[in-house]
Amino acid sequence: MFQPSQPARRSRTRSGIALGLAAAVLAAGASACSGSSNGLGSPDQPNLRVGLVDSIGAVPFQIGSSTSTHAFMDSGLTISVQKFESQQEELAALASNKIDVAYGEYAQFLSGASTLATSDNIRVVSEAYDAGAGTIALLKRRGFTLPTWGAGAGNAFNCNGSVSIVVPSKQGTEYLALAAWFQSLGSPLPTNCPAIVANPNPTQAIGAVASGQATAAVLQEPYVTAAQISGGLQLDQDLATGNASAVPVDGYFATKAFVTKYPHTTAIFAADMAKLQASSGQRVVVETALRSAGGIDSRVIAAMQLGTYPSVVLPAKLDIVLRLMSNAGTVNGLLDSGKLTNLSPGS
């Protein structure tokens, strides 16, 4: 389940969780999600290639795309899943039309490093996963006292190496949450600060803090809980609060060219995902999937915090992550949430 040897998705690899869905979970999802596509007609492209990096947020899709559930098949879609080890590989595949839809992180797919975003050739076709309380956190060694953050944090956090904070990526949600927290304290995070160290391997990040090689680390679940249970770290700050509260983390994306050419396929996929998100995103489903796949301490599964699985993409909600990206300097210019979520042909 934990795969620290693999670089995670995007510039970091995702959490490294490979979800094995139990038969009981699939049966539950099937009963709730099968049926028609709500009068949307037949898909104009029945064969849909979906890129995926294994993650907690992908549980509903994995249920729907299983041969035991038939959620997409019942709507006329034949789903082929392509797994990727990194977000960058997935973005490249989407840009080169090797896949039609990609599951990924908003902070990465919409960043200034994404040519699809900077060229206005990307659209959000479905929500996947939003942060919840305790799902993103700043962790330190147990008993260690971090510097006093705040308006006078310039002396404590002066980027000279005396303080170092490990994040999976300087483009990812963890970085956005950290930057938002510093900003709320009146101490904006310096641009290109060498004290912020990117390491896509969460196990290595936990080890660096535990051994004193790093001052702290910002991680998402399940690594927040794993760091405390297995790594002996201590939660210092819940970063999924304030401006980063309920921030959209993951979604499903397609190019503007694809949604324009295949509006029915896009609409059917979105409708199927809405049903799957609503019916398959309960904690019991996630826990069953994690326990079935093995590899994660059962104590972590029982204690970890979970975010939410929204069924509707709302521009106002997307504005949360866009504001965080703008404030952190990870996006070029301003992105229009209304345009990003408008799936009408030619939008």
Side-chain angles (χ1 to χ4, degrees):
M1 191 67 71
F2 284 80
Q3 301 173 15
S5 62
Q6 297 181 2
R9 70 178 170 91
R10 352 184 246 288
S11 48
R12 78 162 184 165
T13 304
R14 184 55 174 166
S15 58
I17 298 174
L19 297 175
L21 298 174
V25 177
L26 295 172
S31 62
C33 301
S34 61
S36 69
S37 56
N38 297 322
L40 294 173
S42 300
D44 28 33
Q45 170 54 273
N47 300 312
L48 197 62
R49 303 166 298 172
V50 179
L52 193 69
V53 177
D54 288 316
S55 161
I56 291 173
V59 170
F61 170 78
Q62 290 184 308
I63 291 175
S65 60
S66 73
T67 55
S68 302
T69 304
H70 305 298
F72 293 110
M73 294 178 64
D74 288 345
S75 296
L77 295 177
T78 299
I79 302 290
S80 61
V81 178
Q82 298 183 36
K83 295 289 185 73
F84 294 87
E85 292 186 358
S86 76
Q87 184 85 30
Q88 291 175 332
E89 292 177 358
E90 195 179 12
L91 270 168
L94 185 63
S96 60
N97 296 318
K98 293 180 180 178
I99 55 176
D100 305 312
V101 174
Y103 166 87
E105 191 177 74
Y106 287 99
Q108 294 291 329
F109 273 74
L110 302 180
S111 77
S114 167
T115 57
L116 288 176
T118 56
S119 63
D120 186 34
N121 190 24
I122 194 166
R123 294 293 181 265
V124 182
V125 298
S126 172
E127 258 276 32
Y129 184 71
D130 290 359
T135 60
I136 309 172
L138 178 72
L139 298 128
K140 63 179 183 180
R141 294 194 305 282
R142 192 171 300 279
F144 181 78
T145 301
L146 290 175
T148 301
W149 312 116
N155 292 328
F157 195 79
N158 55 13
C159 297
N160 65 1
S162 59
V163 172
S164 59
I165 300 178
V166 184
V167 295
S169 164
K170 291 187 179 181
Q171 298 285 337
T173 303
E174 297 91 343
Y175 181 80
L176 299 185
L178 179 66
W181 180 61
F182 269 105
Q183 190 170 45
S184 72
L185 298 176
S187 181
L189 197 60
T191 303
N192 297 323
C193 176
I196 304 298
V197 180
N199 187 332
N201 188 312
T203 302
Q204 290 179 3
I206 293 169
V209 177
S211 65
Q213 297 177 43
T215 307
V218 181
L219 300 169
Q220 285 196 57
E221 287 287 27
Y223 297 107
V224 173
T225 299
Q228 297 174 78
I229 291 178
S230 304
L233 302 191
Q234 181 178 354
L235 189 147
D236 186 77
Q237 296 290 334
D238 177 2
L239 298 182
T241 59
N243 291 336
S245 178
V247 60
V249 176
D250 298 314
Y252 293 85
F253 304 83
T255 63
K256 174 185 175 182
F258 181 87
V259 302
T260 300
K261 186 175 182 179
Y262 302 115
H264 290 290
T265 295
T266 303
I268 291 170
F269 177 82
D272 286 345
M273 281 305 308
K275 291 186 290 184
L276 288 162
Q277 292 283 112
S279 63
S280 305
Q282 295 86 7
R283 184 180 181 95
V284 63
V285 175
V286 179
E287 286 200 9
T288 302
L290 295 177
R291 293 182 191 280
S292 298
I296 294 183
D297 191 321
S298 61
R299 297 172 298 170
V300 172
I301 296 174
M304 64 182 287
Q305 301 297 310
L306 280 179
T308 59
Y309 296 83
S311 58
V312 180
V313 180
L314 299 175
K317 192 72 176 294
L318 186 57
D319 281 334
I320 297 174
V321 70
L322 295 180
R323 284 195 298 269
L324 294 184
M325 293 170 65
S326 178
N327 292 338
T330 64
V331 62
N332 295 333
L334 295 177
L335 295 176
D336 185 340
S337 60
K339 179 182 289 187
L340 287 168
T341 56
N342 186 350
L343 304 181
S344 300
S347 62

CSV table of all heavy atoms in Angstrom, one decimal, residues 43-98:
chain,number,residue,atom,x,y,z
A,43,PRO,N,-23.3,8.2,-25.8
A,43,PRO,CA,-22.0,8.9,-25.9
A,43,PRO,C,-21.6,9.1,-27.3
A,43,PRO,O,-21.8,8.2,-28.1
A,43,PRO,CB,-21.1,8.0,-25.1
A,43,PRO,CG,-21.7,6.6,-25.1
A,43,PRO,CD,-23.2,6.9,-25.1
A,44,ASP,N,-21.0,10.2,-27.6
A,44,ASP,CA,-20.5,10.4,-29.0
A,44,ASP,C,-19.1,9.8,-29.1
A,44,ASP,O,-18.6,9.7,-30.2
A,44,ASP,CB,-20.4,11.9,-29.4
A,44,ASP,CG,-20.3,12.8,-28.2
A,44,ASP,OD1,-19.6,12.4,-27.2
A,44,ASP,OD2,-20.8,13.9,-28.2
A,45,GLN,N,-18.5,9.3,-28.0
A,45,GLN,CA,-17.3,8.5,-28.0
A,45,GLN,C,-17.4,7.5,-26.9
A,45,GLN,O,-17.2,7.9,-25.7
A,45,GLN,CB,-16.1,9.4,-27.8
A,45,GLN,CG,-14.7,8.7,-27.5
A,45,GLN,CD,-14.4,7.6,-28.6
A,45,GLN,OE1,-14.8,6.5,-28.5
A,45,GLN,NE2,-13.7,8.0,-29.6
A,46,PRO,N,-17.8,6.3,-27.2
A,46,PRO,CA,-18.1,5.3,-26.1
A,46,PRO,C,-16.8,4.8,-25.4
A,46,PRO,O,-16.9,4.3,-24.2
A,46,PRO,CB,-18.8,4.2,-26.8
A,46,PRO,CG,-18.3,4.3,-28.2
A,46,PRO,CD,-18.1,5.7,-28.5
A,47,ASN,N,-15.7,4.9,-26.0
A,47,ASN,CA,-14.5,4.4,-25.4
A,47,ASN,C,-13.7,5.5,-24.8
A,47,ASN,O,-13.2,6.4,-25.5
A,47,ASN,CB,-13.6,3.7,-26.5
A,47,ASN,CG,-14.3,2.5,-27.1
A,47,ASN,OD1,-14.9,1.7,-26.4
A,47,ASN,ND2,-14.3,2.5,-28.4
A,48,LEU,N,-13.6,5.5,-23.5
A,48,LEU,CA,-13.0,6.6,-22.7
A,48,LEU,C,-11.7,6.1,-22.0
A,48,LEU,O,-11.7,5.2,-21.2
A,48,LEU,CB,-14.0,7.1,-21.7
A,48,LEU,CG,-13.7,8.5,-21.1
A,48,LEU,CD1,-13.7,9.6,-22.2
A,48,LEU,CD2,-14.7,8.8,-20.0
A,49,ARG,N,-10.6,6.7,-22.3
A,49,ARG,CA,-9.3,6.4,-21.7
A,49,ARG,C,-9.1,7.4,-20.5
A,49,ARG,O,-9.0,8.6,-20.7
A,49,ARG,CB,-8.2,6.6,-22.7
A,49,ARG,CG,-8.4,5.7,-24.0
A,49,ARG,CD,-7.4,6.2,-25.1
A,49,ARG,NE,-7.6,7.5,-25.5
A,49,ARG,CZ,-6.9,8.2,-26.3
A,49,ARG,NH1,-5.8,7.7,-26.8
A,49,ARG,NH2,-7.2,9.5,-26.6
A,50,VAL,N,-9.0,6.8,-19.3
A,50,VAL,CA,-8.9,7.6,-18.1
A,50,VAL,C,-7.5,7.4,-17.4
A,50,VAL,O,-7.1,6.2,-17.2
A,50,VAL,CB,-10.0,7.3,-17.1
A,50,VAL,CG1,-9.8,8.1,-15.8
A,50,VAL,CG2,-11.3,7.5,-17.8
A,51,GLY,N,-6.8,8.4,-17.2
A,51,GLY,CA,-5.5,8.3,-16.5
A,51,GLY,C,-5.7,8.4,-15.0
A,51,GLY,O,-6.6,9.2,-14.5
A,52,LEU,N,-5.0,7.7,-14.3
A,52,LEU,CA,-5.2,7.6,-12.8
A,52,LEU,C,-3.9,7.4,-12.1
A,52,LEU,O,-3.0,6.7,-12.5
A,52,LEU,CB,-6.1,6.4,-12.5
A,52,LEU,CG,-6.7,6.3,-11.1
A,52,LEU,CD1,-7.8,7.4,-10.9
A,52,LEU,CD2,-7.4,4.9,-10.9
A,53,VAL,N,-3.8,8.1,-10.9
A,53,VAL,CA,-2.7,7.8,-10.0
A,53,VAL,C,-3.4,7.3,-8.7
A,53,VAL,O,-4.4,8.0,-8.2
A,53,VAL,CB,-1.9,9.0,-9.7
A,53,VAL,CG1,-0.8,8.7,-8.6
A,53,VAL,CG2,-1.2,9.5,-10.9
A,54,ASP,N,-3.1,6.2,-8.2
A,54,ASP,CA,-3.8,5.6,-7.0
A,54,ASP,C,-3.8,6.6,-5.9
A,54,ASP,O,-2.8,7.2,-5.5
A,54,ASP,CB,-3.2,4.3,-6.6
A,54,ASP,CG,-3.4,3.2,-7.6
A,54,ASP,OD1,-4.6,3.1,-8.0
A,54,ASP,OD2,-2.5,2.4,-7.9
A,55,SER,N,-5.0,6.7,-5.3
A,55,SER,CA,-5.2,7.7,-4.2
A,55,SER,C,-6.5,7.5,-3.5
A,55,SER,O,-7.4,6.9,-4.1
A,55,SER,CB,-5.2,9.1,-4.8
A,55,SER,OG,-5.8,10.1,-4.0
A,56,ILE,N,-6.6,8.0,-2.3
A,56,ILE,CA,-7.8,7.9,-1.5
A,56,ILE,C,-9.0,8.5,-2.3
A,56,ILE,O,-10.1,8.1,-2.3
A,56,ILE,CB,-7.6,8.5,-0.2
A,56,ILE,CG1,-6.7,7.7,0.7
A,56,ILE,CG2,-9.0,8.7,0.5
A,56,ILE,CD1,-6.4,8.3,2.0
A,57,GLY,N,-8.7,9.6,-3.0
A,57,GLY,CA,-9.7,10.4,-3.7
A,57,GLY,C,-10.3,9.7,-4.8
A,57,GLY,O,-11.4,10.0,-5.3
A,58,ALA,N,-9.6,8.6,-5.3
A,58,ALA,CA,-10.1,7.9,-6.5
A,58,ALA,C,-11.0,6.7,-6.2
A,58,ALA,O,-11.4,6.0,-7.2
A,58,ALA,CB,-8.9,7.4,-7.4
A,59,VAL,N,-11.3,6.5,-5.0
A,59,VAL,CA,-12.1,5.3,-4.6
A,59,VAL,C,-13.5,5.3,-5.4
A,59,VAL,O,-13.8,4.2,-5.9
A,59,VAL,CB,-12.4,5.3,-3.1
A,59,VAL,CG1,-13.4,4.3,-2.7
A,59,VAL,CG2,-11.1,5.0,-2.3
A,60,PRO,N,-14.3,6.3,-5.5
A,60,PRO,CA,-15.5,6.2,-6.2
A,60,PRO,C,-15.4,5.8,-7.7
A,60,PRO,O,-16.1,5.0,-8.2
A,60,PRO,CB,-16.1,7.6,-6.1
A,60,PRO,CG,-15.6,8.2,-4.8
A,60,PRO,CD,-14.2,7.6,-4.8
A,61,PHE,N,-14.4,6.4,-8.3
A,61,PHE,CA,-14.1,6.1,-9.7
A,61,PHE,C,-13.7,4.6,-9.9
A,61,PHE,O,-14.2,3.9,-10.8
A,61,PHE,CB,-13.0,7.0,-10.3
A,61,PHE,CG,-12.6,6.5,-11.7
A,61,PHE,CD1,-13.4,6.7,-12.8
A,61,PHE,CD2,-11.4,5.8,-11.8
A,61,PHE,CE1,-13.0,6.3,-14.1
A,61,PHE,CE2,-11.0,5.3,-13.1
A,61,PHE,CZ,-11.8,5.6,-14.2
A,62,GLN,N,-12.8,4.2,-9.0
A,62,GLN,CA,-12.4,2.8,-9.1
A,62,GLN,C,-13.5,1.8,-8.9
A,62,GLN,O,-13.6,0.7,-9.5
A,62,GLN,CB,-11.3,2.5,-8.0
A,62,GLN,CG,-10.0,3.2,-8.4
A,62,GLN,CD,-8.8,2.9,-7.5
A,62,GLN,OE1,-9.0,3.1,-6.3
A,62,GLN,NE2,-7.7,2.6,-8.0
A,63,ILE,N,-14.5,2.2,-8.0
A,63,ILE,CA,-15.7,1.3,-7.9
A,63,ILE,C,-16.5,1.3,-9.2
A,63,ILE,O,-16.9,0.3,-9.7
A,63,ILE,CB,-16.6,1.9,-6.7
A,63,ILE,CG1,-15.9,1.6,-5.4
A,63,ILE,CG2,-17.9,1.2,-6.7
A,63,ILE,CD1,-16.6,2.2,-4.2
A,64,GLY,N,-16.7,2.5,-9.7
A,64,GLY,CA,-17.5,2.6,-10.9
A,64,GLY,C,-16.9,2.0,-12.2
A,64,GLY,O,-17.6,1.5,-13.0
A,65,SER,N,-15.6,1.9,-12.2
A,65,SER,CA,-14.9,1.4,-13.4
A,65,SER,C,-14.6,-0.1,-13.3
A,65,SER,O,-14.1,-0.7,-14.2
A,65,SER,CB,-13.6,2.1,-13.7
A,65,SER,OG,-12.7,2.0,-12.6
A,66,SER,N,-15.0,-0.7,-12.1
A,66,SER,CA,-14.7,-2.1,-12.0
A,66,SER,C,-15.7,-2.9,-12.8
A,66,SER,O,-16.9,-2.5,-13.0
A,66,SER,CB,-14.9,-2.5,-10.5
A,66,SER,OG,-16.2,-2.5,-10.1
A,67,THR,N,-15.3,-4.1,-13.2
A,67,THR,CA,-16.2,-5.0,-13.9
A,67,THR,C,-17.4,-5.5,-13.1
A,67,THR,O,-18.4,-6.0,-13.6
A,67,THR,CB,-15.5,-6.2,-14.5
A,67,THR,OG1,-14.8,-6.9,-13.5
A,67,THR,CG2,-14.4,-5.7,-15.5
A,68,SER,N,-17.3,-5.4,-11.8
A,68,SER,CA,-18.3,-5.9,-10.9
A,68,SER,C,-19.4,-4.9,-10.7
A,68,SER,O,-20.5,-5.2,-10.3
A,68,SER,CB,-17.7,-6.3,-9.5
A,68,SER,OG,-16.7,-7.2,-9.6
A,69,THR,N,-19.2,-3.6,-11.1
A,69,THR,CA,-20.2,-2.6,-10.8
A,69,THR,C,-20.9,-2.2,-12.0
A,69,THR,O,-22.1,-2.0,-12.0
A,69,THR,CB,-19.4,-1.3,-10.2
A,69,THR,OG1,-18.7,-1.7,-9.0
A,69,THR,CG2,-20.4,-0.3,-9.8
A,70,HIS,N,-20.3,-2.0,-13.1
A,70,HIS,CA,-20.9,-1.7,-14.4
A,70,HIS,C,-21.5,-0.3,-14.4
A,70,HIS,O,-22.4,0.0,-15.3
A,70,HIS,CB,-22.0,-2.7,-14.8
A,70,HIS,CG,-21.5,-4.1,-14.8
A,70,HIS,ND1,-20.6,-4.5,-15.7
A,70,HIS,CD2,-21.9,-5.2,-14.1
A,70,HIS,CE1,-20.4,-5.8,-15.5
A,70,HIS,NE2,-21.1,-6.2,-14.5
A,71,ALA,N,-21.1,0.6,-13.5
A,71,ALA,CA,-21.7,2.0,-13.5
A,71,ALA,C,-21.5,2.7,-14.8
A,71,ALA,O,-22.5,3.3,-15.4
A,71,ALA,CB,-21.1,2.8,-12.3
A,72,PHE,N,-20.3,2.7,-15.4
A,72,PHE,CA,-20.1,3.4,-16.6
A,72,PHE,C,-20.6,2.6,-17.8
A,72,PHE,O,-21.1,3.1,-18.8
A,72,PHE,CB,-18.6,3.6,-16.8
A,72,PHE,CG,-18.0,4.6,-15.8
A,72,PHE,CD1,-17.1,4.2,-14.8
A,72,PHE,CD2,-18.3,6.0,-15.8
A,72,PHE,CE1,-16.6,5.1,-13.9
A,72,PHE,CE2,-17.8,6.9,-14.9
A,72,PHE,CZ,-17.0,6.4,-14.0
A,73,MET,N,-20.5,1.3,-17.7
A,73,MET,CA,-20.9,0.4,-18.8
A,73,MET,C,-22.4,0.6,-19.0
A,73,MET,O,-22.9,0.6,-20.2
A,73,MET,CB,-20.6,-1.0,-18.5
A,73,MET,CG,-19.1,-1.3,-18.5
A,73,MET,SD,-18.7,-3.1,-18.1
A,73,MET,CE,-19.5,-3.9,-19.5
A,74,ASP,N,-23.2,0.7,-17.9
A,74,ASP,CA,-24.6,0.9,-18.0
A,74,ASP,C,-25.0,2.2,-18.7
A,74,ASP,O,-26.1,2.3,-19.2
A,74,ASP,CB,-25.3,0.8,-16.6
A,74,ASP,CG,-25.2,-0.6,-16.1
A,74,ASP,OD1,-25.0,-1.5,-16.8
A,74,ASP,OD2,-25.4,-0.8,-14.8
A,75,SER,N,-24.1,3.1,-18.8
A,75,SER,CA,-24.3,4.4,-19.4
A,75,SER,C,-23.8,4.4,-20.8
A,75,SER,O,-23.8,5.5,-21.5
A,75,SER,CB,-23.7,5.6,-18.6
A,75,SER,OG,-24.4,5.7,-17.3
A,76,GLY,N,-23.2,3.3,-21.3
A,76,GLY,CA,-22.7,3.3,-22.6
A,76,GLY,C,-21.2,3.6,-22.8
A,76,GLY,O,-20.7,3.7,-23.9
A,77,LEU,N,-20.5,3.7,-21.6
A,77,LEU,CA,-19.1,4.0,-21.7
A,77,LEU,C,-18.3,2.8,-21.4
A,77,LEU,O,-18.6,2.0,-20.5
A,77,LEU,CB,-18.8,5.1,-20.7
A,77,LEU,CG,-19.4,6.5,-20.9
A,77,LEU,CD1,-19.0,7.4,-19.8
A,77,LEU,CD2,-19.0,7.1,-22.2
A,78,THR,N,-17.3,2.6,-22.2
A,78,THR,CA,-16.3,1.6,-21.9
A,78,THR,C,-15.0,2.3,-21.4
A,78,THR,O,-14.4,3.0,-22.2
A,78,THR,CB,-16.0,0.8,-23.2
A,78,THR,OG1,-17.2,0.1,-23.6
A,78,THR,CG2,-14.9,-0.3,-22.9
A,79,ILE,N,-14.7,2.0,-20.2
A,79,ILE,CA,-13.6,2.7,-19.6
A,79,ILE,C,-12.3,1.9,-19.6
A,79,ILE,O,-12.3,0.7,-19.2
A,79,ILE,CB,-13.9,3.1,-18.1
A,79,ILE,CG1,-15.1,3.9,-18.0
A,79,ILE,CG2,-12.7,3.7,-17.4
A,79,ILE,CD1,-15.0,5.3,-18.5
A,80,SER,N,-11.2,2.4,-20.1
A,80,SER,CA,-9.9,1.8,-20.0
A,80,SER,C,-9.0,2.7,-19.1
A,80,SER,O,-9.0,3.9,-19.3
A,80,SER,CB,-9.3,1.6,-21.4
A,80,SER,OG,-9.1,2.8,-22.0
A,81,VAL,N,-8.4,2.1,-18.1
A,81,VAL,CA,-7.7,2.9,-17.1
A,81,VAL,C,-6.2,2.7,-17.3
A,81,VAL,O,-5.7,1.6,-17.5
A,81,VAL,CB,-8.0,2.4,-15.7
A,81,VAL,CG1,-7.2,3.1,-14.6
A,81,VAL,CG2,-9.5,2.6,-15.4
A,82,GLN,N,-5.5,3.8,-17.4
A,82,GLN,CA,-4.1,3.8,-17.5
A,82,GLN,C,-3.5,4.4,-16.2
A,82,GLN,O,-3.8,5.5,-15.8
A,82,GLN,CB,-3.6,4.6,-18.7
A,82,GLN,CG,-4.1,4.1,-20.0
A,82,GLN,CD,-3.5,4.9,-21.2
A,82,GLN,OE1,-2.4,5.3,-21.2
A,82,GLN,NE2,-4.4,5.0,-22.3
A,83,LYS,N,-2.6,3.6,-15.5
A,83,LYS,CA,-2.0,4.1,-14.3
A,83,LYS,C,-0.7,4.8,-14.6
A,83,LYS,O,0.1,4.4,-15.4
A,83,LYS,CB,-1.7,2.9,-13.4
A,83,LYS,CG,-3.0,2.1,-12.9
A,83,LYS,CD,-3.7,3.0,-11.9
A,83,LYS,CE,-4.9,2.2,-11.4
A,83,LYS,NZ,-4.5,1.1,-10.4
A,84,PHE,N,-0.5,5.9,-13.8
A,84,PHE,CA,0.7,6.7,-13.9
A,84,PHE,C,1.4,6.8,-12.5
A,84,PHE,O,0.7,6.8,-11.5
A,84,PHE,CB,0.4,8.1,-14.4
A,84,PHE,CG,-0.1,8.1,-15.8
A,84,PHE,CD1,-1.5,7.9,-16.1
A,84,PHE,CD2,0.8,8.2,-16.9
A,84,PHE,CE1,-1.9,7.9,-17.4
A,84,PHE,CE2,0.3,8.3,-18.2
A,84,PHE,CZ,-1.0,8.1,-18.5
A,85,GLU,N,2.7,6.9,-12.5
A,85,GLU,CA,3.4,7.0,-11.3
A,85,GLU,C,3.6,8.5,-10.9
A,85,GLU,O,3.9,8.8,-9.7
A,85,GLU,CB,4.8,6.4,-11.4
A,85,GLU,CG,4.8,4.9,-11.6
A,85,GLU,CD,6.2,4.3,-11.5
A,85,GLU,OE1,7.2,5.0,-11.5
A,85,GLU,OE2,6.3,3.0,-11.6
A,86,SER,N,3.5,9.4,-11.8
A,86,SER,CA,3.6,10.8,-11.5
A,86,SER,C,2.6,11.7,-12.2
A,86,SER,O,2.1,11.3,-13.2
A,86,SER,CB,5.1,11.3,-11.9
A,86,SER,OG,5.1,11.5,-13.3
A,87,GLN,N,2.4,12.8,-11.6
A,87,GLN,CA,1.4,13.8,-12.1
A,87,GLN,C,2.0,14.4,-13.4
A,87,GLN,O,1.2,14.6,-14.4
A,87,GLN,CB,1.3,14.9,-11.1
A,87,GLN,CG,0.3,16.0,-11.5
A,87,GLN,CD,-1.1,15.6,-11.1
A,87,GLN,OE1,-1.3,14.9,-10.1
A,87,GLN,NE2,-2.1,16.1,-11.8
A,88,GLN,N,3.2,14.6,-13.5
A,88,GLN,CA,3.8,15.1,-14.7
A,88,GLN,C,3.6,14.2,-15.9
A,88,GLN,O,3.3,14.6,-17.0
A,88,GLN,CB,5.3,15.4,-14.5
A,88,GLN,CG,5.6,16.5,-13.6
A,88,GLN,CD,7.1,16.7,-13.3
A,88,GLN,OE1,7.8,15.8,-13.3
A,88,GLN,NE2,7.4,17.9,-12.9
A,89,GLU,N,3.8,12.9,-15.7
A,89,GLU,CA,3.6,11.9,-16.8
A,89,GLU,C,2.1,11.9,-17.2
A,89,GLU,O,1.8,11.8,-18.4
A,89,GLU,CB,3.9,10.5,-16.3
A,89,GLU,CG,5.4,10.3,-16.1
A,89,GLU,CD,5.7,8.9,-15.5
A,89,GLU,OE1,4.7,8.1,-15.3
A,89,GLU,OE2,6.9,8.6,-15.3
A,90,GLU,N,1.2,12.1,-16.3
A,90,GLU,CA,-0.2,12.1,-16.6
A,90,GLU,C,-0.6,13.3,-17.4
A,90,GLU,O,-1.4,13.2,-18.3
A,90,GLU,CB,-1.0,12.0,-15.3
A,90,GLU,CG,-2.5,11.6,-15.5
A,90,GLU,CD,-3.2,11.5,-14.2
A,90,GLU,OE1,-2.6,11.9,-13.1
A,90,GLU,OE2,-4.3,11.0,-14.2
A,91,LEU,N,-0.1,14.5,-17.0
A,91,LEU,CA,-0.4,15.7,-17.7
A,91,LEU,C,0.2,15.6,-19.1
A,91,LEU,O,-0.5,16.1,-20.0
A,91,LEU,CB,0.3,16.9,-16.9
A,91,LEU,CG,-0.5,17.6,-15.9
A,91,LEU,CD1,0.3,18.5,-15.0
A,91,LEU,CD2,-1.7,18.3,-16.5
A,92,ALA,N,1.3,15.1,-19.3
A,92,ALA,CA,1.9,14.9,-20.6
A,92,ALA,C,1.1,14.0,-21.5
A,92,ALA,O,0.8,14.3,-22.7
A,92,ALA,CB,3.3,14.4,-20.5
A,93,ALA,N,0.5,12.9,-20.9
A,93,ALA,CA,-0.3,12.0,-21.6
A,93,ALA,C,-1.6,12.7,-22.0
A,93,ALA,O,-2.1,12.5,-23.2
A,93,ALA,CB,-0.6,10.8,-20.8
A,94,LEU,N,-2.2,13.5,-21.1
A,94,LEU,CA,-3.4,14.3,-21.5
A,94,LEU,C,-3.2,15.3,-22.6
A,94,LEU,O,-4.0,15.4,-23.5
A,94,LEU,CB,-4.0,15.0,-20.2
A,94,LEU,CG,-5.3,15.7,-20.4
A,94,LEU,CD1,-6.4,14.7,-20.7
A,94,LEU,CD2,-5.7,16.4,-19.1
A,95,ALA,N,-2.1,16.0,-22.5
A,95,ALA,CA,-1.7,17.0,-23.5
A,95,ALA,C,-1.5,16.4,-24.9
A,95,ALA,O,-1.7,17.0,-25.9
A,95,ALA,CB,-0.5,17.8,-23.0
A,96,SER,N,-1.0,15.2,-24.9
A,96,SER,CA,-0.7,14.5,-26.2
A,96,SER,C,-1.8,13.6,-26.7
A,96,SER,O,-1.5,12.8,-27.6
A,96,SER,CB,0.7,13.7,-26.1
A,96,SER,OG,0.6,12.8,-25.1
A,97,ASN,N,-2.9,13.7,-26.0
A,97,ASN,CA,-4.1,12.9,-26.4
A,97,ASN,C,-3.9,11.4,-26.3
A,97,ASN,O,-4.6,10.6,-27.0
A,97,ASN,CB,-4.5,13.2,-27.9
A,97,ASN,CG,-5.0,14.7,-28.1
A,97,ASN,OD1,-5.7,15.2,-27.2
A,97,ASN,ND2,-4.5,15.3,-29.1
A,98,LYS,N,-3.1,11.0,-25.4
A,98,LYS,CA,-2.9,9.6,-25.1
A,98,LYS,C,-4.0,9.1,-24.1
A,98,LYS,O,-4.2,7.9,-24.0
A,98,LYS,CB,-1.5,9.3,-24.6
A,98,LYS,CG,-0.4,9.5,-25.6
A,98,LYS,CD,1.0,9.3,-25.0
A,98,LYS,CE,2.0,9.5,-26.1
A,98,LYS,NZ,3.4,9.3,-25.5
